[in-house]
Amino acid sequence: MALIVQKFGGTSVANTEKILSAARRAIREVKNGNQVVMVVSAMGKSTDHLIELAREISDRPNSREMDMLLSTGEQVTVALMAIALESLGHKAISFTAAQIGIKTDNSFNKARIRSISTERMRDALKEGKIVIAAGFQGIDDDFNITTLGRGGSDTTAVALAAALRADVCDIFTDVDGVYTTDPRIVPEARRVSCISYDEMLELASMGAGVMHSRSIEFAKKFGVPVHVRSSFSDNPGTVIGPDPESRDVPVCGAALAKNEARITVVEVPDEPGVAMNLFSRIAEAKIPTDMIAQNASTKGRTDISFTVPGEDFVVAQDIVKKVAGELGASGVEYNENVSKVSIVGLGMVHQTGVARKMFHALSEHGINIEMITTSDIKISALVERNDAIQALRAVHEAFELDRDPASRTNIYNSPNQKSAKAEDNSEEEDKEQVSAELVSRLAGMEEILIEKVDLDQSQARFTFANVPDEPGLAAAVFDKIAQANIVVDMIVQSVGRNNLANISFTVPRDELDAVNKLAKDVASTWKCDILQNPMVAKLSVRGTGLRSHTGLASRMFRTLSSNSINVSIICTSERCVSVIVNDEAGEKSFSLSVSEFAEEML
Ligand code: ASP
Ligand code: MG
């Protein structure tokens, strides 16, 4: 007998007919001999309607009362679902979050789950009932109703699956799985059969957004297999779990985060503490920073660029204006109309030419890249919002994402470059079956979890400084490098003043001579300066919950700066923060970070 959590989103319970059909699905599983816990969202667009009602009365409704209001949507659905199940002759019981002890902190509108008590659900299951839990809501220590943020029912479902040690968490939705990109924008997009937690995390918070990204963090932490599937058919969907289909191709999907805003703090002194000050102020306001790029300095000064969600721009701008002066920056620049295009895939760790292919696809369409950041399994480029859709299409096509992975043309694959990092990754995949003990160890179920702090002292860093920021630059640089079969690791491009960009990347130290030759060519074509540091240390912190815990990057920067360690390059993604420091500071940075994050380490 298996225990299955089935989550039905708003569109899957939009009317009573759909509620009945969801109920039939649950009953079918019970007839197969399984126990079922259903988690449901509010019907159709009812959460939106509730928000509109509040807005008709006030521009700034009290956040506690908003949660009180919004939680009612799910309460309607649980009750109707129980009535539906009983009308179909099955025993059922509905619960609000308070009734099953889904405890959260008290940050209204974006509360985090702290604990779940499973007793009452288990008792009901033992009595042969189907349990129906209200998604999206929780209760704080003072019995206030809280909500987990829009789309939060996914997180409720995966959290219940984790707490109950369910065998699988089925997410029934209006799409039949996770696609290589948003099929509404790129109709050729293809359904992915299996995707890893990490790939999904890198894709999730950016509009491939089939699922709430915190739910994937949960799933990964607790090793819950998640099956995303259509509530209107029996077709297999996408399994998010440890065995992805992307093993042998560089890229599993492409994503677009359309409404981003970019802020650049221009010419800050390149000294310890600057990044810490900036990002801790932003984290205090609970604004998630996404792409962070700090480049190598010229004349002791550097630019720090980062993106925030469009809706947080105004507040972030105010903060940065204040902080910039204190930091001694020469100015602040913005672009409110940018979008982020990313490619993600476990396979890119050991293949050359991946970055090149992406930048080429963009430059062939005349699209300028404003900013670049990378993680081990992701490359993101920031473009003007007007170019966003074309950029996504171009990238999707370049990597043949419309085709079955087995039938894609191989790109510059260089087996001799299959570095230790690739093996490392598969080991990590095994670890994803996190032991059940973890459930009891984690007092707060949504705490940040650090998987690994890594120190890599095998790389050299190159920077092209003051390059004219125009289409084709990145493509030209990485063309040459790919032709020489060199694996590029970290790539950071940031915009400075007067549309001059700095582009930095790291390569293995033993490729130093080769890259030096190439760099001279590039520099003479683009009339830019080359800076290099043949001995750098790359420190990275990888984990889950990084993006949703706004303070991680600043904690890392604080730890380093309070020990007078200067960070020369910063680069972030959804699940990884990497910095470049001087080689001599490498080991110290590593041990400092390990002790800083000791409590959060797996
Ligand atoms: N009803 C909530 C929302 O619309 C939660 C959810 O659907 O996941 O955001
Ligand atoms: Mg939803």
Side-chain angles (χ1 to χ4, degrees):
M1 182 175 62
L3 173 56
I4 300 173
V5 172
Q6 295 188 326
K7 182 255 170 180
F8 293 89
T11 45
S12 310
V13 292
N15 54 40
T16 47
E17 209 177 297
K18 288 185 176 163
I19 290 178
L20 278 160
S21 97
R24 282 190 203 98
R25 259 191 203 276
I27 293 175
R28 216 188 314 157
E29 286 300 349
V30 173
K31 293 217 166 115
N32 290 337
N34 301 315
Q35 292 182 320
V36 176
V37 173
M38 301 175 84
V39 174
V40 293
S41 292
M43 293 170 69
K45 300 224 170 299
S46 56
T47 309
D48 293 333
H49 293 147
L50 293 169
I51 293 173
E52 275 162 31
L53 285 178
R55 293 260 155 84
E56 280 173 24
I57 300 175
S58 162
D59 286 344
R60 283 168 196 263
N62 176 303
S63 56
R64 177 188 183 275
E65 303 311 331
M66 278 310 281
D67 280 358
M68 182 67 104
L69 175 68
L70 297 191
S71 68
T72 61
E74 273 69 15
Q75 194 171 332
V76 169
T77 321
V78 284
L80 290 174
M81 190 62 79
I83 293 168
L85 285 162
E86 283 178 351
S87 78
L88 295 169
H90 207 282
K91 288 193 280 184
I93 182 164
S94 66
F95 291 121
T96 62
Q99 289 172 322
I100 46 174
I102 302 184
K103 284 275 188 70
T104 68
D105 62 17
N106 62 358
S107 25
F108 296 113
N109 309 167
K110 38 180 147 182
R112 288 174 182 288
I113 297 177
R114 288 218 171 124
S115 63
I116 296 176
S117 52
T118 54
E119 219 179 306
R120 194 151 178 200
M121 287 186 284
R122 290 229 185 259
D123 289 347
L125 289 170
K126 265 189 225 135
E127 290 163 17
K129 291 178 180 155
I130 290 177
V131 167
I132 310 137
F136 177 55
Q137 52 178 263
I139 190 151
D140 75 4
D141 286 343
D142 299 321
F143 303 99
N144 295 305
I145 293 177
T146 55
T147 67
L148 310 180
R150 296 306 306 271
S153 297
D154 290 334
T155 297
T156 307
V158 178
L160 287 185
L164 291 161
R165 324 253 156 98
D167 297 273
V168 64
C169 181
D170 280 333
I171 303 284
F172 288 100
T173 173
D174 52 353
V175 294
D176 61 357
V178 177
Y179 277 68
T180 48
T181 199
D182 187 341
R184 286 167 304 185
I185 306 179
V186 184
E188 302 79 41
R190 179 186 148 271
R191 185 176 55 77
V192 178
S193 61
C194 291
I195 190 167
S196 70
Y197 296 112
D198 282 333
E199 288 170 326
M200 192 62 196
L201 273 173
E202 293 280 28
L203 288 167
S205 62
M206 333 187 296
V210 183
M211 286 185 74
H212 202 221
S213 63
R214 275 161 58 194
S215 68
I216 314 290
E217 295 176 350
F218 247 112
K220 179 177 176 182
K221 269 184 217 171
F222 297 101
V224 179
V226 174
H227 187 178
V228 181
R229 49 196 300 199
S230 166
S231 51
F232 311 121
S233 80
D234 282 328
N235 298 341
T238 300
V239 175
I240 308 168
D243 191 22
E245 65 173 37
S246 62
R247 283 257 170 247
D248 304 312
V249 287
V251 174
C252 74
L256 180 65
K258 219 167 164 209
N259 295 316
E260 301 283 292
R262 192 245 323 152
I263 302 180
T264 300
V265 191
V266 184
E267 294 196 316
V268 286
D270 182 21
E271 53 195 43
V274 170
M276 185 275 292
N277 272 321
L278 177 62
F279 291 108
S280 58
R281 296 283 277 277
I282 293 165
E284 274 161 27
K286 294 229 157 114
I287 295 176
T289 43
D290 183 12
M291 296 168 87
I292 301 181
Q294 178 192 308
N295 238 309
S297 61
T298 36
K299 302 186 192 104
R301 290 186 167 253
T302 181
D303 303 325
I304 303 181
S305 298
F306 60 96
T307 60
V308 295
E311 74 252 26
D312 291 324
F313 174 67
V314 177
V315 180
Q317 185 187 29
D318 282 348
I319 298 171
V320 174
K321 271 188 192 152
K322 275 185 215 129
V323 186
E326 294 165 25
L327 295 178
S330 71
V332 184
E333 289 192 347
Y334 316 93
N335 188 346
E336 266 182 89
N337 297 305
V338 285
S339 303
K340 178 177 78 166
V341 181
S342 309
I343 54 171
V344 172
L346 285 181
M348 70 173 67
V349 173
H350 55 77
Q351 296 203 10
T352 57
V354 182
R356 163 197 195 268
K357 197 166 201 133
M358 176 175 186
F359 303 147
H360 245 276
L362 298 176
S363 96
E364 272 159 23
H365 288 81
I367 298 169
N368 187 33
I369 305 173
E370 271 217 4
M371 183 171 162
I372 301 169
T373 56
T374 59
S375 82
D376 51 344
I377 64 165
K378 176 176 180 182
I379 303 173
S380 299
L382 202 66
V383 300
E384 284 285 344
R385 198 168 300 152
N386 284 338
D387 292 331
I389 288 176
Q390 206 191 5
L392 183 67
R393 291 204 177 119
V395 165
H396 194 271
E397 193 187 347
F399 287 97
E400 303 167 275
L401 294 179
D402 55 326
R403 298 167 69 166
D404 203 73
S407 69
R408 288 179 202 155
T409 352
N410 238 344
I411 70 156
Y412 306 89
N413 206 347
S414 51
N416 59 332
Q417 300 274 12
K418 285 206 177 195
S419 63
K421 275 162 78 195
E423 280 139 41
D424 210 34
N425 233 312
S426 57
E427 205 180 286
E428 224 136 272
E429 293 288 306
D430 297 338
K431 265 198 282 167
E432 285 180 356
Q433 286 303 327
V434 184
S435 73
E437 276 165 50
L438 189 60
V439 180
S440 52
R441 251 196 58 199
L442 275 171
M445 295 183 72
E446 285 201 75
E447 291 308 293
I448 185 173
L449 198 65
I450 304 294
E451 238 170 78
K452 220 172 178 197
V453 179
D454 254 329
L455 177 66
D456 179 347
Q457 290 181 291
S458 68
Q459 304 203 49
R461 186 264 301 165
F462 276 83
T463 302
F464 294 109
N466 301 320
V467 206
D469 178 27
E470 54 189 62
L473 159 70
V477 172
F478 294 102
D479 243 0
K480 294 224 162 19
I481 292 176
Q483 277 156 16
N485 242 351
I486 296 167
V487 179
V488 179
D489 182 21
M490 191 168 164
I491 303 174
V492 184
Q493 182 196 307
S494 56
V495 223
R497 273 184 321 172
N498 310 328
N499 280 334
L500 292 178
N502 284 350
I503 181 159
S504 295
F505 56 93
T506 62
V507 292
R509 282 178 196 169
D510 47 20
E511 305 283 4
L512 201 68
D513 292 341
V515 179
N516 249 323
K517 277 196 207 111
L518 303 173
K520 282 193 189 113
D521 277 359
V522 174
S524 67
T525 324
W526 292 87
K527 311 215 172 3
C528 60
D529 310 321
I530 314 174
L531 309 169
Q532 58 141 293
N533 184 344
M535 303 270 277
V536 291
K538 176 181 158 201
L539 179 72
S540 33
V541 177
R542 219 186 304 165
T544 47
L546 268 53
R547 157 109 170 163
S548 48
H549 287 74
T550 47
L552 176 111
S554 64
R555 260 175 73 194
M556 182 171 175
F557 303 146
R558 177 174 308 123
T559 307
L560 298 178
S561 74
S562 59
N563 288 279
S564 307
I565 295 172
N566 190 31
V567 169
S568 68
I569 296 182
I570 303 170
C571 185
T572 60
S573 81
E574 317 284 326
R575 45 178 272 296
C576 191
V577 178
S578 302
V579 299
I580 296 283
V581 296
N582 276 337
D583 197 50
E584 312 84 71
E587 262 149 52
K588 190 165 171 209
S589 319
F590 176 72
S591 56
L592 286 168
S593 306
V594 170
S595 44
E596 170 68 27
F597 295 117
E599 272 187 22
E600 288 90 351
M601 295 265 261
L602 196 61

